[in-house]
Amino acid sequence: MEKGNDLRILQKTEDMILYANKALEQFPRSERYALAADIKRTMYSFYRLIITANKKYYKKTTLQDADVELEVLRGLIRLAANKEMRYLPMKKYEIWSKMLSEIGAMLGGWIKAMKQ
């Protein structure tokens, strides 16, 4: 991945985290220390993996770990938007999902580039 592109995925991840933190503030108090905390931990773990992969010479394993973390994050957000839970309004879920899809596409491209 070119230098400019890895900075783009990092910037997109930062943008997603900023958006997510505002959305997570609206969770019920009981869930702020459970599901919202898990979502935050997963986001920060993903962020850390992106930075680590950017700095490492051998990136493959770190990128695969980031891919897994991104999938976990998608699942947690899907749970938060579930009809029965309704902690996350559908509009916010759609915006957040689009951000995750864009980040996922960038990460997939990076992984593909590392395999070549």
Side-chain angles (χ1 to χ4, degrees), residues 90-106:
M90 193 51 66
K91 182 67 176 167
K92 289 189 182 203
Y93 171 73
E94 290 170 2
I95 293 169
W96 203 345
S97 291
K98 285 179 186 176
M99 291 175 149
L100 290 173
S101 292
E102 189 174 358
I103 291 167
M106 295 169 110

Side-chain angles (χ1 to χ4, degrees), residues 64-109:
Q64 289 171 335
D65 291 344
D67 193 33
V68 169
E69 207 67 20
L70 186 63
E71 198 57 39
V72 169
L73 182 57
R74 283 183 174 136
L76 291 172
I77 293 167
R78 228 180 354 261
L79 275 176
N82 184 292
K83 291 178 192 174
E84 293 178 28
M85 291 182 143
R86 294 186 186 174
Y87 300 141
L88 189 63
M90 193 51 66
K91 182 67 176 167
K92 289 189 182 203
Y93 171 73
E94 290 170 2
I95 293 169
W96 203 345
S97 291
K98 285 179 186 176
M99 291 175 149
L100 290 173
S101 292
E102 189 174 358
I103 291 167
M106 295 169 110
L107 181 60

Side-chain angles (χ1 to χ4, degrees), residues 19-34:
Y19 179 81
N21 278 325
K22 289 178 186 171
L24 293 173
E25 286 175 1
Q26 297 175 347
F27 273 43
R29 186 172 298 228
S30 62
E31 285 303 318
R32 283 189 204 147
Y33 303 105

Side-chain angles (χ1 to χ4, degrees), residues 55-71:
K55 295 292 183 182
K56 280 187 167 183
Y57 182 76
Y58 295 106
K59 304 172 187 307
K60 185 179 175 188
T61 306
T62 308
L63 290 173
Q64 289 171 335
D65 291 344
D67 193 33
V68 169
E69 207 67 20
L70 186 63
E71 198 57 39

